[in-house]
Amino acid sequence: MQLHPAEKVVVITEKLIVKGVVEIIEAAGAKGYTIIAAGGKGSHAFRATSERAAVVDDFSDVKIEVVVNDKSMAEAIMTKITETYFTDYSGITYIEYIEVLRPSKF
Amino acid sequence: MQLHPAEKVVVITEKLIVKGVVEIIEAAGAKGYTIIAAGGKGSHAFRATSERAAVVDDFSDVKIEVVVNDKSMAEAIMTKITETYFTDYSGITYIEYIEVLRPSKF
Amino acid sequence: MQLHPAEKVVVITEKLIVKGVVEIIEAAGAKGYTIIAAGGKGSHAFRATSERAAVVDDFSDVKIEVVVNDKSMAEAIMTKITETYFTDYSGITYIEYIEVLRPSKF
């Protein structure tokens, strides 16, 4: 099988807003996403628990990953989530360049 | 220390088949792998729970990561897992290009 | 919004040493980090549980991710963690090149 370039958007933010973030991802046309429980400290971490950051099991954040096959869709998701949520909520978003086997899946 | 190029294979699929996926990874010669609990929606998500996707704690999927120091081994793992499982089970796989400190570890 | 290049350092190691790893990350000047529970097998996995590797819920490892906007800081974090811990503890570290929207956050 052949590898094809694709994009992965990563969003790390408060668990509290995961529904809204997922709605933006789906409205942009992405075919799927992955959600992972996370903890931590910094601009992506829920402020009120940041002092307990070294407590690994304190997972009040989520890491959401979206693989897409369209860089403009990736950028639209990142921009919309940042503009909608990251003034009032903690969060970061970044893009990684990956390669996939079956581009029609994304 | 010096950085050396390496490959990371990522597989996101149903928890149900994790043992078989790990067997393929080990048979290919990879020296290790990481498993993370995941939820989500899309072609990588367990179909029966996809409607509950926004429920973050519904982790019926796994994200498996394998760092290797050999692109042909990476591609062999991706192809074998896709051909063995992804007709009957939900799943995606992709490759990322990374850099490691101690290439002999992989 | 515009994308800017940045670096992501990933550390996968035993849960036991997460506090020390986080102290190195903070001392290096990183503004935040993310912690995710992980299991697995290999040079990053807690030796005593490696035979139970296929048991997904056996999460005695952690995956720690640090986004920085400075490659020399990234390399310093990787080197310090490797030199401090990876003789006596299991662990791997690697770097990925990403792009972020708001570089001043990192």
Side-chain angles (χ1 to χ4, degrees), chain A residues 12 38-45 49-56 61 92, chain C residues 9 18-19 21-27 30-36 63-68 77 106:
Chain A
I12 304 173
K41 189 174 176 182
S43 51
H44 66 279
T49 61
S50 63
E51 280 146 35
R52 291 184 286 143
V55 182
V56 180
D61 298 324
I92 64 170
Chain C
V9 171
V18 68
K19 278 197 185 186
V21 170
V22 162
E23 280 168 15
I24 289 171
I25 290 166
E26 292 189 324
K31 293 186 186 169
Y33 54 84
T34 302
I35 300 177
I36 291 168
K63 184 183 187 193
I64 304 167
E65 300 181 348
V66 190
V67 178
V68 298
I77 291 170
F106 303 100

Side-chain angles (χ1 to χ4, degrees), chain A residues 12 36-44 53 56-57 59 63 75 78 82-83 86 91-92 94-97, chain C residues 1 3 8 15 18-19 26 31-37 62 65 67 96 98-102 105-106:
Chain A
I12 304 173
I36 291 168
K41 189 174 176 182
S43 51
H44 66 279
V56 180
D57 298 316
F59 285 161
K63 185 183 186 192
E75 289 185 293
M78 295 171 78
T82 300
E83 290 176 349
F86 291 172
I92 64 170
Y94 56 84
I95 187 169
E96 296 184 44
Y97 299 95
Chain C
M1 289 190 217
L3 292 169
K8 181 170 71 168
K15 204 174 181 174
V18 68
K19 278 197 185 186
E26 292 189 324
K31 293 186 186 169
Y33 54 84
T34 302
I35 300 177
I36 291 168
V62 286
E65 300 181 348
V67 178
E96 297 184 43
I98 65 174
E99 289 175 15
V100 299
L101 280 186
R102 302 175 299 170
K105 286 278 178 183
F106 303 100

Side-chain angles (χ1 to χ4, degrees), chain C residues 41-76:
Chain C
K41 188 175 177 180
S43 51
H44 66 279
F46 183 42
R47 293 174 198 90
T49 61
S50 63
E51 280 145 36
R52 292 183 284 145
V55 182
V56 181
D57 298 315
D58 175 22
F59 286 159
S60 53
D61 298 324
V62 286
K63 184 183 187 193
I64 304 167
E65 300 181 348
V66 190
V67 178
V68 298
N69 194 10
D70 175 347
K71 192 175 173 187
S72 64
M73 188 194 292
E75 289 185 295

